[in-house]
Amino acid sequence: MKFNDGYWQLRPGVEPLYPVHVRDVEIGADRLTVYAPSKRVAERGDTLNTPLITVQCTSPAPDVIAVRIARYTGGVDRGPHFRIEADPAAAPKVTRDEDHVTFTSGELSARFAIEDWRVDFIAGGRVLTGSPRKAMAALRTPDGHFLREQLELGVGESVYGLGERFGPLVKNGQVVDIWNADGGTSSEQAYKNVPFYVSSGGYGVFVDDTGPVSFEVGSETVSRVQFSVPGQILSYLVVYGPTPKDVLRKYTALTGRPALPPAWSFGLWLSTSFTTSYDEATVTSIVDGMAQRGLPLSVFHFDTFWMREFHWCDFEWDPQTFPDPAGMLARLKARGLRICLWINPYIAQRSKLFAEAAAAGYLVRYDNGDVWQWDRWQAGMGLVDFTDPDARAWFQGKLRALLDLGVDAFKSDFGERIPVDVVWADGSDPLRMHNYYTHLYNDAVFEVLREHRGEGEAVLFARSATAGGQQFPVHWGGDCESTFPSMAESLRGGLSLAMSGFGFWSHDIGGFEGTPDPAVFTRWIPFGLLSSHSRLHGNESYRVPWLFGDDAVAVLGEFTRLKARLMPYLYAAAVTAHREGVPVMRPMALEFPDDPACTHLDRQYMLGDNILVAPVFSADGDTTFYLPAGSWTDLRSGEELTGPGWLRRRYGIGDLPVLVRPGSVIALGARDDRPDYDYADGVTLRLYAPADGFAAVVEVPTPQGRPAATFTVRRAGSVVEVRRGGSAAPWRVQLAGVTTVAAVDAGRLAPADSSVVGPSGVLIEADAGTEQVIVRLH
C-alpha cells in the first residue's frame, strides 16, 4: 500500500506521525521499551498534545528480535494470532551509552539512536538493515489508520519469499499484498500468502500479523522494503542467519517445522481429473492401463465428483456412480494403491449436512445470526467455522468415517474465499481470520489423519496456506494453464514457497486448465517426478500418458523408476526438511548464496543438496541453464559439464539437465517399482570425483525416517575409504566416471553395472557383514 506521492510528498489525506527521538526507555528482565514522541521534546510543555510512539523489543529465540510498534494500545485484541514457539534459551540483554540504547539476542542487536531517530539491526560486525528517520510511522488516511515500517535495502540486496508467488523469484520492485485468493497461477494473487521474506543480506523478516499485510519491496521507496497493516499496532521479527538456510532454520523453529510425509507419498499420484466422467470401471481401466505399460503407481486420487453434484461437501459417495465404495477401495488397495479423496470446507445447501450444521451452529454467520451463504462454487454453500471446537470435531468425524472405509489421504482444496463481513464463534477479527482460516482448516484435517493413521503417516494435498502451514504437508501449486509459460510460473511459485519455509511442494503435471500439447505434457513429466511430490491431474481431460503418445509413456516410466531409485537420497532430504526446515526443492540462491549468478535463477533448482534440475520449457528442447563452479556430472548419461558458466543445449523429448554436484555422494536404492522399501538393503553409494581430503557422512533413512545406515566416506591421497554403521545389509560403492582402479583392499570388485541408474563405473560390492570398503586409485 502506497502512502507517498513520489519520494518527498504524501498522498492527499495522509497524515503521518514519525518517532523523532528516544525520550525514555524501560528495561525489563526480557524486554526493552522505547518511548519516542512525534516531535522533539525540549521542555515540559512540549509533552502536551504530543503523540507518543511506543516500540518494544523482545526475543522469542536467540538471533531473533521481535519489534512491536504501537500508537494506541487500548483496542480489543480479538485475534487470531500465529503460533510462535519461544525458545527458553533466549536471554536478551540491554546496554546503554550516551548515544544509543541496544537490545541484543544472540548475535543480533537492535540499536536505537537516542537523539536523531534511527534503528539499526546489527550482526556479524555489520549493519544488516535499518529503519531510518521517517521510515517508521503511524498514519491516518482516508481509508483508516495504519502502522508502517520501512527497512533499508543495500546495493545488490535481493528479497525472496512472501509465499507461493508466480512472478519473478526476486521480489524487488514488486507490490505484494498478503491476502489469500483463488487467482490461479497467472496473476499477482496467491493461494499461499506468507508475510515473511528472506534477504540476501543475511537476515529474514516475519510480520507477525494474520491480517492483510501490504509489502512494497523496493517499489514505493526503491531503497527500502515497506510493510504496513491497518490499525494501531505493527509487530515484526528480524531473524539473523547469516546464511539463507540458517534464516529458514530459525524461522521454521518459530512457526513450525513440516511433518515428515510417509515414504509412499513420494510415488506417483494419478487423478480422475476434475470434471471428467468416471466410475469404478473407468478407474479400473486407468489403473489397468498403468500396470499394462509397466508404470509404477502409488496413489489413486478421486476428485470432486466422487460426491453427488450440488452436494459438496457431504462426504458421501455418489450412490449411482459408486454403489459399492467400500468394495471398490478394497479392490484398489489389494493392488497396493493408496487412496486420496478431494474435500473442501464448504457445505452446499442441498446437502443434508447443511441443515445439520446450521442447526448446530457450525457454520459461519452474519452478526444478525443468519448463515453466511453464496453460490460461488456450490449453490447456497456455507462455511465450516473451525474456531468452534464442536464444529471442528463434527467435521473431523465425517473424515474419520472415510478413513475407516480405507481412505489414506485428503486433497484439502480451497480455503481462500473467506468472507470478512461475518462473525466467528470465538470472536476472532474477520479481517485477520481471512488468511488464517486455511491454517485452522488444514490443521483439523491433518490432525485427524495423524490420529487415525499414526505419526509419520499423515499427508495432505493442500492448496491454501499461510505462515505455519508448512507443518501440514504437502502443498501443490493450484490451477495452472497447460502451457510452457505456466510450467515456468509453477516452478517460480514453488521456489518462492520454498523460501517461505515450506519443505514439500507439488504441481499438476501437464497443467490443469485445458488439455496440454503432447510436447508440453511430456516435457512436464521429468519436472513433476523430480519434485518432492508428483501428481498427474487436470481439469476436463484425463492425464493418463497414453493419451499423449508413446514418448509420454516411456518418459513417465523412466522418471517414475528414477525417482524410486533416488528415494534413499530424496527421503534423506525429506528428513532434513522435517528436522531443520530446509526444503527439498531449493532455489539456486539458497544453495549458492555467494554466487551472484544464482541470484535471479528461477528456471532451475537444486533437489536436495547435490542434484541440479533444469526443466526444459520448449517443444524443440532448446534450453539455457547455469552451472556453478566445478565439474558437474549428468546423473543419467555420465557426461561431465564444467562451471561456472551458462550452457545452451538441445535436449530430446525425454531428456533434461539432471546434474550431480562435484564431490557428491548419492545414495541410490535397489528398487524402482515403488517409493517405500528398505533403502539400506542393496543401497549403492555413488561417489562423484571426491578430491583428496574429501570427507562426508551419508545417512540412509528407513521409510519411517529413522537412521537405517550411516556411511562415512573419506579420500586420502589415492585411497578412498567407505565405512558403514547401522543396518547389516548388502551394499555397494560405485565410483562414477572411473573405469579402473589399482586395487580393492576390502569389498569385492564387481562387473560394470548400469542397472542402478545412469552410466557404469567401477563397482565394489559388500555383503551384509562387510563394514568397510577400501579402494586404491591409480
Side-chain angles (χ1 to χ4, degrees):
M1 182 174 182
K2 291 179 170 62
F3 302 98
N4 281 21
D5 177 10
Y7 186 69
W8 306 110
Q9 301 182 84
L10 294 167
R11 296 196 169 198
V14 175
E15 300 176 12
L17 293 173
Y18 305 117
V20 172
H21 67 118
V22 175
R23 178 61 180 177
D24 192 15
V25 300
E26 288 183 1
I27 300 173
D30 62 348
R31 66 195 58 215
L32 166 68
T33 305
V34 174
Y35 299 96
S38 58
K39 71 177 184 181
R40 187 164 296 279
V41 175
E43 57 185 37
R44 286 184 174 181
D46 294 333
T47 64
L48 303 179
N49 305 313
T50 299
L52 201 62
I53 305 297
T54 303
V55 183
Q56 187 176 86
C57 292
T58 56
S59 178
D63 297 336
V64 179
I65 293 177
V67 180
R68 182 179 183 267
I69 307 166
R71 185 186 180 194
Y72 295 150
T73 60
V76 176
D77 183 0
R78 295 189 287 155
H81 299 285
F82 293 121
R83 301 171 190 170
I84 303 293
E85 294 294 329
D87 183 348
K93 63 180 181 179
V94 179
T95 58
R96 183 171 183 174
D97 58 29
E98 183 177 343
D99 298 320
H100 301 93
V101 59
T102 303
F103 179 90
T104 300
S105 171
E107 296 185 43
L108 178 64
S109 295
R111 185 180 67 188
F112 293 79
I114 293 174
E115 284 303 313
D116 293 311
W117 180 264
R118 180 180 176 87
V119 185
D120 285 317
F121 294 94
I122 303 168
R126 63 186 181 91
V127 175
L128 303 176
T129 186
S131 173
R133 178 176 173 270
K134 292 189 176 183
M136 185 186 298
L139 302 144
R140 185 168 65 180
T141 79
D143 298 318
H145 291 272
F146 293 83
L147 261 294
R148 180 193 78 186
E149 176 66 295
Q150 295 176 335
L151 296 179
E152 293 170 319
L153 288 170
V155 176
E157 185 175 345
S158 298
V159 172
Y160 305 92
L162 298 175
E164 181 193 44
R165 318 209 76 85
F166 303 102
L169 177 65
V170 174
K171 300 302 183 288
N172 297 51
Q174 299 182 39
V175 179
V176 176
D177 291 322
I178 302 299
W179 191 254
N180 283 2
D182 178 7
T185 67
S186 298
S187 77
E188 64 182 358
Q189 296 179 357
Y191 304 104
K192 308 170 189 68
N193 286 268
V194 181
F196 165 72
Y197 65 85
V198 177
S199 164
S200 64
Y203 65 95
V205 175
F206 173 47
V207 180
D208 186 10
D209 194 309
T210 59
V213 185
S214 181
F215 286 87
E216 299 275 347
V217 187
S219 45
E220 181 171 31
T221 302
V222 297
S223 59
R224 301 176 189 174
V225 176
Q226 172 178 298
F227 42 93
S228 59
V229 298
Q232 303 284 353
I233 296 174
L234 168 61
S235 297
Y236 68 94
L237 286 72
V238 177
V239 183
Y240 174 55
T243 72
K245 284 185 181 179
D246 291 330
V247 172
L248 290 182
R249 290 184 182 104
K250 294 170 185 177
Y251 166 74
T252 56
L254 295 169
T255 59
R257 298 259 168 82
L260 180 64
W264 54 262
S265 71
F266 287 74
L268 182 63
W269 298 47
L270 176 61
S271 165
T272 59
S273 291
F274 174 26
T275 60
T276 53
S277 296
Y278 62 90
D279 55 15
E280 183 177 357
T282 310
V283 170
T284 302
S285 69
I286 291 173
V287 173
D288 286 344
M290 296 290 285
Q292 290 162 6
R293 293 167 175 82
L295 301 174
L297 184 61
S298 295
V299 183
F300 193 85
H301 168 69
F302 290 84
D303 216 56
T304 53
F305 283 96
W306 68 272
M307 292 177 281
R308 290 165 290 181
E309 60 186 29
F310 293 115
H311 283 69
W312 306 340
C313 277
D314 63 1
F315 307 105
E316 294 183 4
W317 292 83
D318 184 335
Q320 292 187 333
T321 307
F322 299 104
D324 180 24
M328 177 182 65
L329 296 192
R331 287 184 282 275
L332 290 172
K333 293 176 78 70
R335 303 182 69 162
L337 294 174
R338 309 284 180 155
I339 304 300
C340 177
L341 293 185
W342 176 94
I343 62 169
N344 70 26
Y346 311 134
I347 309 294
Q349 182 172 277
R350 188 178 177 188
S351 164
K352 66 182 181 182
L353 294 189
F354 182 89
E356 178 184 331
Y362 296 160
L363 301 179
V364 176
R365 297 177 180 269
Y366 293 108
D367 59 7
N368 67 359
D370 291 345
V371 172
W372 174 87
Q373 292 182 261
W374 69 358
D375 294 327
R376 293 179 65 188
W377 187 242
Q378 290 288 281
M381 72 178 200
L383 177 67
V384 177
D385 187 347
F386 288 106
T387 72
D388 180 349
D390 292 336
R392 175 187 174 102
W394 172 82
F395 187 87
Q396 290 178 320
K398 306 303 178 184
L399 301 184
R400 283 192 184 90
L402 295 168
L403 294 170
D404 290 340
L405 196 67
V407 173
D408 299 283
F410 293 111
K411 173 184 170 181
S412 51
D413 205 353
F414 286 87
E416 308 93 355
R417 298 175 177 179
I418 309 304
V420 296
D421 55 347
V422 295
V423 175
W424 295 89
D426 71 346
S428 285
D429 179 348
L431 199 65
R432 295 177 185 275
M433 183 54 72
H434 173 86
N435 288 336
Y436 197 68
Y437 181 86
T438 175
H439 192 85
L440 300 180
Y441 164 42
N442 283 303
D443 185 19
V445 179
F446 199 83
E447 180 183 69
V448 75
L449 280 165
R450 184 159 44 198
E451 288 176 356
H452 192 279
R453 298 191 51 82
E455 193 69 35
E457 278 294 307
V459 65
L460 300 176
F461 233 83
R463 188 173 76 174
S464 60
T466 188
Q470 67 270 6
Q471 297 171 79
F472 319 124
V474 169
H475 295 81
W476 102 96
D479 299 347
C480 51
E481 302 287 338
S482 297
T483 64
F484 283 119
S486 270
M487 179 178 164
E489 72 200 19
S490 293
L491 175 56
R492 292 195 298 269
L495 297 181
S496 183
L497 192 66
M499 287 299 246
S500 307
F502 285 67
F504 303 95
W505 176 80
S506 187
H507 45 97
D508 292 339
I509 296 173
F512 176 75
E513 297 287 355
T515 299
D517 177 87
V520 171
F521 182 79
T522 307
R523 293 286 188 192
W524 206 314
I525 288 171
F527 168 37
L529 270 301
L530 293 170
S531 300
S532 86
H533 286 73
S534 311
R535 184 178 71 165
L536 294 165
H537 178 68
N539 187 351
E540 71 267 16
S541 60
Y542 300 113
R543 292 294 189 264
V544 290
W546 49 91
L547 297 180
F548 300 91
D550 293 341
D551 285 338
V553 173
V555 173
L556 184 67
E558 177 184 357
F559 282 90
T560 305
R561 288 188 287 271
L562 172 61
K563 188 174 187 183
R565 291 288 198 191
L566 282 170
M567 277 304 294
Y569 170 82
L570 287 176
Y571 210 56
V575 171
T576 297
H578 167 61
R579 291 176 181 170
E580 302 180 19
V582 178
V584 174
M585 297 174 67
R586 306 169 187 173
M588 298 295 291
L590 182 63
E591 197 64 44
F592 298 94
D594 296 325
D595 187 337
C598 291
T599 301
H600 289 76
L601 294 184
D602 56 16
R603 298 195 306 272
Q604 61 188 73
Y605 58 96
M606 294 297 293
L607 185 63
D609 293 331
N610 297 316
I611 296 179
L612 185 155
V613 180
V616 175
F617 300 101
S618 65
D620 62 11
D622 278 348
T623 192
T624 303
F625 57 96
Y626 174 78
L627 285 183
S631 181
W632 294 69
T633 305
D634 191 294
L635 177 70
R636 295 153 63 243
S637 72
E639 180 184 9
E640 292 189 3
L641 302 173
T642 301
W646 287 88
L647 287 83
R648 180 161 190 163
R649 312 190 91 199
R650 174 169 288 194
Y651 286 84
I653 191 63
D655 203 3
L656 79 167
V658 185
L659 302 165
V660 180
R661 192 174 187 165
S664 297
V665 181
I666 304 295
L668 299 164
R671 297 188 63 167
D672 66 2
D673 60 333
R674 60 184 303 143
D676 49 339
Y677 56 92
D678 184 349
Y679 302 137
D681 188 0
V683 68
T684 298
L685 300 177
R686 182 176 290 173
L687 280 56
Y688 286 87
D692 187 11
F694 174 84
V697 176
V698 177
E699 185 176 283
V700 176
T702 69
Q704 293 74 40
R706 295 185 292 273
T710 301
F711 297 89
T712 304
V713 183
R714 291 188 176 89
R715 178 177 177 180
S718 62
V719 177
V720 176
E721 176 187 5
V722 183
R723 185 177 294 275
R724 184 198 69 192
S727 175
W731 55 289
R732 310 197 297 182
V733 174
Q734 189 171 35
L735 301 174
V738 176
T739 55
T740 62
V741 296
V744 176
D745 295 349
R748 59 181 179 276
L749 196 62
D753 178 14
S754 60
S755 66
V756 176
V757 171
S760 60
V762 168
L763 186 68
I764 299 96
E765 292 186 341
D767 58 30
T770 303
E771 297 183 353
Q772 183 184 45
V773 165
I774 298 176
V775 182
R776 297 184 183 276
L777 305 176
H778 287 294

